[in-house]
Structure formats: structure tokens, C-alpha cells
Amino acid sequence: QLYELDGDPRRKEFLDDLFSFMQKRGTPVNRIPIMAKQVLDLYMLYTLVTEKGGLVEVINKKLWREITKGLSLPTSITSAAFTLRTQYMKYLYPYECEKRGLSNPNELQAAIDSNRREGRRQGFGGSLFAYSPGSTHGLLSSPKLPVPALGLASATNGGAITPGQKIKKGNDCSRVCLLQTAAQAAALEQLREKLESGEPPEKKLALVTDEQQRLMQRALQQNLLAMTAQLPMSIRINSQGTR
């Protein structure tokens, strides 16, 4: 199928050389890559990427939209950049390194890490990257994580802890908040990777909803633990408690 996509005589020469190279390095191409329910044209993908300076250059300059158009792929594909990058790394990047030497694996990893950090910063800037059925990508407001002054009413011997009590240990509270923020960052990073995994739209929407609920539950639990650790509690257990 890859050979028959067009009549370009360079296509056969490229594919023969690519498959031979991948076979010799022990990673033969045994399955035709598919994207948007059609064969992914490895010849055209390689041509477009190398014309722009190679994979690392495309990642750093965020040129995937142009690559997508060059491949005549639907603009409505979600996470097209992630999918194309993954397929290129699997089928074409070793060949690019061998034949063109446009970058090396260390530079590639640095580009991927930089791209991931930038995406995470944008996510915490006030919006969460999520799928929107009406467009290629939508922005969903990040879940507001409430930090309420929780009142803890306990059946003590004639007394109760009121909501008005203040937390005195500011340093402890700051440490708890930092731990909470780190946990939220890790959770949102995992969610972003799931959203880029090419799952169906319905599953992506469910992932966002579940993640919002999980983050709110975690925030409430951590706030509760932080306050109970700092508020003095003297609970007397009545040995004659009712059964």
C-alpha cells in the first residue's frame, strides 16, 4: 500500500532503503502505520520533516500543523502532533539519524522534555488542554480547587471544634500546600498524556471529568488532614457509649 500511494519513482527507492535499514538494525517494519483510518505515508512524512530541518527542529518550532496539511490529513484529528511524532520516532527517526544526521537522540529527548514542560506551564496558566467535540482542540477551565475553612464538629465531652479557629503553624501549612501542588501537577501531566493518546472523544471527556473530581477529592482530603494535624483535639472516649 505504501508503494502504491503515488507514482513518484523516488518512493520505491526510499521505501526499499528504509525497510532494508530497519531490518538490519533489528527493528523491521512488520505493520503498516495507520492514522485517521488511512495508511500513514512514511515517504511523504519523512520528506516533509527533513525538509524543515528534521524531527528535533519540527518539535522545537512546533511545525506539526504544516506537516499535517502536507500529508492531507483531516484538521479535526486530535493530538495529531503527538501521534505523528510517535510514529516518526518509531519508523523514521533512526533512518534520519543514519542518513541525514540532523540531530541525535539526546537532542531529541531535550526537545521532547522542553515541549512537555511548556505544555505543563500553559496548563497551569489558567486552562487545561482538553478535547472539544466542536473543534480540533478546546480550552477547558482548570478545576477550581477550594480550600475551605473546614469546621470539624466532633462528639467530644460537651465541646466542639468551631470553624473560626485559626491555624498557627504557617510553615507546616506551606509545606502541605507545596506537596498538594506537586501532586496536582503530576496528576495533570498524566491527564495530558492520556488526552494525547488518541482515545475516542467520549473517553477523553470522561477522563477530564473523572480527573476533576479526583483532584477536588484529593484537595479536600489534604486540607482536612492539614487542619486536623494542627488544631488541638482532646477527645474523651466514653466507656459507657451507646451501642
Side-chain angles (χ1 to χ4, degrees), residues 141-164:
S141 297
S142 58
K144 299 295 185 297
L145 300 176
V147 186
L150 297 175
L152 304 175
S154 59
T156 59
N157 188 22
I161 299 174
T162 63

PDB file of all heavy atoms in Angstrom, residues 141-164:
ATOM      1  N   SER A 141     -11.647  25.285  31.366  1.00  0.00           N
ATOM      2  CA  SER A 141     -11.127  25.960  32.548  1.00  0.00           C
ATOM      3  C   SER A 141     -10.662  24.940  33.561  1.00  0.00           C
ATOM      4  O   SER A 141     -11.312  23.934  33.806  1.00  0.00           O
ATOM      5  CB  SER A 141     -12.219  26.835  33.180  1.00  0.00           C
ATOM      6  OG  SER A 141     -12.602  27.849  32.278  1.00  0.00           O
ATOM      7  N   SER A 142      -9.512  25.229  34.133  1.00  0.00           N
ATOM      8  CA  SER A 142      -8.968  24.302  35.115  1.00  0.00           C
ATOM      9  C   SER A 142      -9.856  24.268  36.341  1.00  0.00           C
ATOM     10  O   SER A 142     -10.440  25.277  36.720  1.00  0.00           O
ATOM     11  CB  SER A 142      -7.557  24.739  35.523  1.00  0.00           C
ATOM     12  OG  SER A 142      -7.594  26.044  36.047  1.00  0.00           O
ATOM     13  N   PRO A 143      -9.991  23.105  36.953  1.00  0.00           N
ATOM     14  CA  PRO A 143     -10.883  22.983  38.100  1.00  0.00           C
ATOM     15  C   PRO A 143     -10.409  23.850  39.247  1.00  0.00           C
ATOM     16  O   PRO A 143      -9.236  23.870  39.598  1.00  0.00           O
ATOM     17  CB  PRO A 143     -10.787  21.492  38.471  1.00  0.00           C
ATOM     18  CG  PRO A 143      -9.488  21.058  37.884  1.00  0.00           C
ATOM     19  CD  PRO A 143      -9.293  21.868  36.656  1.00  0.00           C
ATOM     20  N   LYS A 144     -11.341  24.611  39.789  1.00  0.00           N
ATOM     21  CA  LYS A 144     -11.037  25.410  40.956  1.00  0.00           C
ATOM     22  C   LYS A 144     -10.967  24.487  42.159  1.00  0.00           C
ATOM     23  O   LYS A 144     -11.910  23.774  42.462  1.00  0.00           O
ATOM     24  CB  LYS A 144     -12.137  26.465  41.186  1.00  0.00           C
ATOM     25  CG  LYS A 144     -12.279  27.458  40.019  1.00  0.00           C
ATOM     26  CD  LYS A 144     -11.030  28.299  39.877  1.00  0.00           C
ATOM     27  CE  LYS A 144     -11.198  29.363  38.816  1.00  0.00           C
ATOM     28  NZ  LYS A 144     -11.421  28.846  37.491  1.00  0.00           N
ATOM     29  N   LEU A 145      -9.836  24.514  42.841  1.00  0.00           N
ATOM     30  CA  LEU A 145      -9.640  23.633  43.976  1.00  0.00           C
ATOM     31  C   LEU A 145      -9.893  24.414  45.245  1.00  0.00           C
ATOM     32  O   LEU A 145      -9.069  25.228  45.671  1.00  0.00           O
ATOM     33  CB  LEU A 145      -8.219  23.067  43.978  1.00  0.00           C
ATOM     34  CG  LEU A 145      -7.899  22.266  42.715  1.00  0.00           C
ATOM     35  CD1 LEU A 145      -6.447  21.826  42.757  1.00  0.00           C
ATOM     36  CD2 LEU A 145      -8.818  21.078  42.600  1.00  0.00           C
ATOM     37  N   PRO A 146     -11.042  24.260  45.850  1.00  0.00           N
ATOM     38  CA  PRO A 146     -11.383  25.062  47.025  1.00  0.00           C
ATOM     39  C   PRO A 146     -10.530  24.686  48.222  1.00  0.00           C
ATOM     40  O   PRO A 146     -10.153  23.546  48.407  1.00  0.00           O
ATOM     41  CB  PRO A 146     -12.858  24.714  47.262  1.00  0.00           C
ATOM     42  CG  PRO A 146     -13.005  23.346  46.700  1.00  0.00           C
ATOM     43  CD  PRO A 146     -12.066  23.279  45.514  1.00  0.00           C
ATOM     44  N   VAL A 147     -10.243  25.701  49.040  1.00  0.00           N
ATOM     45  CA  VAL A 147      -9.516  25.465  50.272  1.00  0.00           C
ATOM     46  C   VAL A 147     -10.372  26.047  51.398  1.00  0.00           C
ATOM     47  O   VAL A 147     -10.087  27.113  51.933  1.00  0.00           O
ATOM     48  CB  VAL A 147      -8.130  26.143  50.245  1.00  0.00           C
ATOM     49  CG1 VAL A 147      -7.331  25.771  51.485  1.00  0.00           C
ATOM     50  CG2 VAL A 147      -7.378  25.745  48.995  1.00  0.00           C
ATOM     51  N   PRO A 148     -11.446  25.402  51.721  1.00  0.00           N
ATOM     52  CA  PRO A 148     -12.370  25.961  52.706  1.00  0.00           C
ATOM     53  C   PRO A 148     -11.846  25.818  54.117  1.00  0.00           C
ATOM     54  O   PRO A 148     -11.036  24.963  54.424  1.00  0.00           O
ATOM     55  CB  PRO A 148     -13.630  25.103  52.501  1.00  0.00           C
ATOM     56  CG  PRO A 148     -13.092  23.784  52.063  1.00  0.00           C
ATOM     57  CD  PRO A 148     -11.873  24.083  51.230  1.00  0.00           C
ATOM     58  N   ALA A 149     -12.352  26.723  54.985  1.00  0.00           N
ATOM     59  CA  ALA A 149     -12.059  26.593  56.409  1.00  0.00           C
ATOM     60  C   ALA A 149     -13.040  25.574  56.956  1.00  0.00           C
ATOM     61  O   ALA A 149     -14.182  25.885  57.270  1.00  0.00           O
ATOM     62  CB  ALA A 149     -12.239  27.953  57.091  1.00  0.00           C
ATOM     63  N   LEU A 150     -12.598  24.344  56.988  1.00  0.00           N
ATOM     64  CA  LEU A 150     -13.493  23.262  57.354  1.00  0.00           C
ATOM     65  C   LEU A 150     -13.755  23.273  58.844  1.00  0.00           C
ATOM     66  O   LEU A 150     -12.843  23.361  59.651  1.00  0.00           O
ATOM     67  CB  LEU A 150     -12.874  21.911  56.953  1.00  0.00           C
ATOM     68  CG  LEU A 150     -12.643  21.718  55.447  1.00  0.00           C
ATOM     69  CD1 LEU A 150     -11.933  20.404  55.225  1.00  0.00           C
ATOM     70  CD2 LEU A 150     -13.946  21.745  54.705  1.00  0.00           C
ATOM     71  N   GLY A 151     -15.002  23.159  59.212  1.00  0.00           N
ATOM     72  CA  GLY A 151     -15.354  23.043  60.614  1.00  0.00           C
ATOM     73  C   GLY A 151     -15.430  21.588  60.994  1.00  0.00           C
ATOM     74  O   GLY A 151     -16.050  20.785  60.306  1.00  0.00           O
ATOM     75  N   LEU A 152     -14.821  21.228  62.082  1.00  0.00           N
ATOM     76  CA  LEU A 152     -14.769  19.827  62.479  1.00  0.00           C
ATOM     77  C   LEU A 152     -15.559  19.661  63.763  1.00  0.00           C
ATOM     78  O   LEU A 152     -15.064  19.935  64.857  1.00  0.00           O
ATOM     79  CB  LEU A 152     -13.309  19.401  62.693  1.00  0.00           C
ATOM     80  CG  LEU A 152     -12.383  19.620  61.487  1.00  0.00           C
ATOM     81  CD1 LEU A 152     -10.960  19.284  61.881  1.00  0.00           C
ATOM     82  CD2 LEU A 152     -12.834  18.793  60.324  1.00  0.00           C
ATOM     83  N   ALA A 153     -16.768  19.260  63.619  1.00  0.00           N
ATOM     84  CA  ALA A 153     -17.606  19.054  64.794  1.00  0.00           C
ATOM     85  C   ALA A 153     -17.455  17.611  65.238  1.00  0.00           C
ATOM     86  O   ALA A 153     -17.735  16.684  64.511  1.00  0.00           O
ATOM     87  CB  ALA A 153     -19.066  19.344  64.450  1.00  0.00           C
ATOM     88  N   SER A 154     -16.975  17.424  66.437  1.00  0.00           N
ATOM     89  CA  SER A 154     -16.797  16.065  66.925  1.00  0.00           C
ATOM     90  C   SER A 154     -17.540  15.894  68.224  1.00  0.00           C
ATOM     91  O   SER A 154     -17.704  16.834  69.007  1.00  0.00           O
ATOM     92  CB  SER A 154     -15.306  15.775  67.136  1.00  0.00           C
ATOM     93  OG  SER A 154     -14.776  16.694  68.067  1.00  0.00           O
ATOM     94  N   ALA A 155     -17.940  14.687  68.450  1.00  0.00           N
ATOM     95  CA  ALA A 155     -18.735  14.398  69.643  1.00  0.00           C
ATOM     96  C   ALA A 155     -17.804  14.269  70.838  1.00  0.00           C
ATOM     97  O   ALA A 155     -17.549  13.189  71.350  1.00  0.00           O
ATOM     98  CB  ALA A 155     -19.544  13.114  69.432  1.00  0.00           C
ATOM     99  N   THR A 156     -17.267  15.412  71.242  1.00  0.00           N
ATOM    100  CA  THR A 156     -16.404  15.404  72.413  1.00  0.00           C
ATOM    101  C   THR A 156     -17.264  15.543  73.654  1.00  0.00           C
ATOM    102  O   THR A 156     -18.478  15.666  73.581  1.00  0.00           O
ATOM    103  CB  THR A 156     -15.401  16.561  72.338  1.00  0.00           C
ATOM    104  OG1 THR A 156     -16.124  17.795  72.252  1.00  0.00           O
ATOM    105  CG2 THR A 156     -14.516  16.436  71.102  1.00  0.00           C
ATOM    106  N   ASN A 157     -16.617  15.556  74.776  1.00  0.00           N
ATOM    107  CA  ASN A 157     -17.343  15.611  76.038  1.00  0.00           C
ATOM    108  C   ASN A 157     -17.817  17.036  76.296  1.00  0.00           C
ATOM    109  O   ASN A 157     -17.241  17.796  77.066  1.00  0.00           O
ATOM    110  CB  ASN A 157     -16.429  15.155  77.185  1.00  0.00           C
ATOM    111  CG  ASN A 157     -17.210  15.006  78.491  1.00  0.00           C
ATOM    112  OD1 ASN A 157     -18.424  14.841  78.461  1.00  0.00           O
ATOM    113  ND2 ASN A 157     -16.510  15.068  79.599  1.00  0.00           N
ATOM    114  N   GLY A 158     -18.905  17.409  75.611  1.00  0.00           N
ATOM    115  CA  GLY A 158     -19.504  18.719  75.844  1.00  0.00           C
ATOM    116  C   GLY A 158     -18.908  19.814  74.987  1.00  0.00           C
ATOM    117  O   GLY A 158     -19.277  20.968  75.143  1.00  0.00           O
ATOM    118  N   GLY A 159     -17.969  19.541  74.100  1.00  0.00           N
ATOM    119  CA  GLY A 159     -17.356  20.604  73.315  1.00  0.00           C
ATOM    120  C   GLY A 159     -17.255  20.225  71.843  1.00  0.00           C
ATOM    121  O   GLY A 159     -17.445  19.086  71.476  1.00  0.00           O
ATOM    122  N   ALA A 160     -16.962  21.230  71.023  1.00  0.00           N
ATOM    123  CA  ALA A 160     -16.800  21.004  69.587  1.00  0.00           C
ATOM    124  C   ALA A 160     -15.776  21.973  69.054  1.00  0.00           C
ATOM    125  O   ALA A 160     -15.569  23.048  69.612  1.00  0.00           O
ATOM    126  CB  ALA A 160     -18.136  21.189  68.857  1.00  0.00           C
ATOM    127  N   ILE A 161     -15.136  21.597  67.979  1.00  0.00           N
ATOM    128  CA  ILE A 161     -14.170  22.473  67.335  1.00  0.00           C
ATOM    129  C   ILE A 161     -14.918  23.345  66.341  1.00  0.00           C
ATOM    130  O   ILE A 161     -15.640  22.848  65.487  1.00  0.00           O
ATOM    131  CB  ILE A 161     -13.105  21.644  66.601  1.00  0.00           C
ATOM    132  CG1 ILE A 161     -12.361  20.779  67.615  1.00  0.00           C
ATOM    133  CG2 ILE A 161     -12.132  22.532  65.851  1.00  0.00           C
ATOM    134  CD1 ILE A 161     -11.392  19.828  66.973  1.00  0.00           C
ATOM    135  N   THR A 162     -14.767  24.640  66.451  1.00  0.00           N
ATOM    136  CA  THR A 162     -15.534  25.566  65.625  1.00  0.00           C
ATOM    137  C   THR A 162     -14.745  25.962  64.392  1.00  0.00           C
ATOM    138  O   THR A 162     -13.518  25.924  64.392  1.00  0.00           O
ATOM    139  CB  THR A 162     -15.875  26.835  66.421  1.00  0.00           C
ATOM    140  OG1 THR A 162     -14.647  27.488  66.764  1.00  0.00           O
ATOM    141  CG2 THR A 162     -16.630  26.492  67.684  1.00  0.00           C
ATOM    142  N   PRO A 163     -15.454  26.433  63.325  1.00  0.00           N
ATOM    143  CA  PRO A 163     -14.755  26.818  62.100  1.00  0.00           C
ATOM    144  C   PRO A 163     -13.864  28.032  62.285  1.00  0.00           C
ATOM    145  O   PRO A 163     -12.995  28.295  61.465  1.00  0.00           O
ATOM    146  CB  PRO A 163     -15.897  27.118  61.121  1.00  0.00           C
ATOM    147  CG  PRO A 163     -17.092  26.424  61.685  1.00  0.00           C
ATOM    148  CD  PRO A 163     -16.906  26.442  63.171  1.00  0.00           C
ATOM    149  N   GLY A 164     -14.088  28.813  63.309  1.00  0.00           N
ATOM    150  CA  GLY A 164     -13.367  30.056  63.480  1.00  0.00           C
ATOM    151  C   GLY A 164     -11.968  29.908  64.018  1.00  0.00           C
ATOM    152  O   GLY A 164     -11.213  30.882  64.051  1.00  0.00           O
TER     153      GLY A 164
END
